[in-house]
Amino acid sequence: MMGDVTAETDTESDLDPTPAAVFIPFYRDPAGALRLVLIERTQFGRHGGQIALPGGKREPTDETMRDTAVRETCEELGLRPDDLEVLHELDPVRTRSTGFEVWAFVGRLRRVPEQWRPQEREVASVLDVRVAELADPAAEGSEDMDFPAWNTRLRVPVRRIAGHTVWGLTLRILEPVLPLAMAGEYAV
């Protein structure tokens, strides 16, 4: 597992974080391979262009953070609530530069559409990846990235999959979950 960035100055640590939730959607393909669905965000918003888990900000109509994760996942991936099942709630994690506190929910997709129909305004593309490839040590690396909020450039841990780079909070959420999913800790 790759370590966290150590040379950080969290400029938003004193602000009240914005609550958000994500869903970690696993499923097994017809051959039995464990798969994970990620999204590439459109260029809009604070996390524009990044590879992410489906999810977003809590809305006043969401009774719980679980409701937020399910609603956002259904909106972004074009699914119905019955298409997914929440299996486990993780402890909330804060972003390091954008002021979000994120609740993550491990789950499984009960139904996978033949063709993904993502919400075009927020999702540029859907990445349907084999967990074994994402968890492979050969996918690990690091990359220098600019952080304008801190006026600095840092080397950050990444994983590369299917020509995309997974990093930041998405990677911090996934790193402890992937080995557990592969070991059968979740009913996916």
Side-chain angles (χ1 to χ4, degrees):
M1 297 281 164
M2 307 235 22
D4 287 337
V5 175
T6 55
E8 293 188 41
T9 338
D10 190 346
T11 58
E12 299 190 21
S13 62
D14 296 332
L15 301 176
D16 288 334
T18 301
V22 296
F23 188 67
I24 307 169
F26 291 108
Y27 78 95
R28 294 216 178 255
D29 66 19
L34 184 61
R35 300 188 73 88
L36 173 67
V37 178
L38 299 168
I39 60 172
E40 178 183 5
R41 296 224 169 265
T42 59
Q43 292 301 316
F44 305 106
R46 295 180 107 171
H47 302 106
Q50 295 180 12
I51 303 303
L53 294 160
K57 292 185 217 176
R58 184 175 191 177
E59 297 291 334
T61 55
D62 299 331
E63 291 185 26
T64 66
M65 295 312 294
R66 177 185 180 138
D67 293 339
T68 300
V70 169
R71 177 186 52 77
E72 284 283 341
T73 299
C74 289
E75 287 175 7
E76 290 179 350
L77 295 178
L79 301 173
R80 297 171 296 136
D82 289 346
D83 293 337
L84 52 94
E85 178 182 359
V86 174
L87 301 172
H88 182 74
E89 179 179 352
L90 303 175
D91 291 333
V93 182
R94 290 207 50 193
T95 59
R96 293 193 166 132
S97 64
T98 55
F100 286 88
E101 185 167 27
V102 179
W103 280 256
F105 296 85
V106 176
R108 72 178 182 93
L109 296 178
R110 292 180 176 141
R111 182 188 72 84
V112 177
E114 286 185 33
Q115 181 177 356
W116 293 103
R117 300 197 190 291
Q119 182 184 50
E120 292 179 12
R121 187 172 37 97
E122 294 184 33
V123 180
S125 64
V126 175
L127 283 68
D128 187 334
V129 300
R130 288 186 60 229
V131 171
E133 290 178 33
L134 184 59
D136 187 334
E140 290 182 14
S142 61
E143 194 170 304
D144 290 331
M145 293 188 183
D146 292 316
F147 292 87
W150 298 329
N151 194 29
T152 191
R153 184 170 181 83
L154 298 172
R155 180 162 286 276
V156 298
V158 301
R159 284 191 178 262
R160 293 182 182 88
I161 183 86
H164 297 280
T165 302
V166 179
W167 66 282
L169 185 68
T170 299
L171 183 59
R172 287 195 294 140
I173 289 171
L174 287 176
E175 285 216 323
V177 170
L178 294 179
L180 294 174
M182 290 173 57
E185 290 291 320
Y186 310 114
V188 294

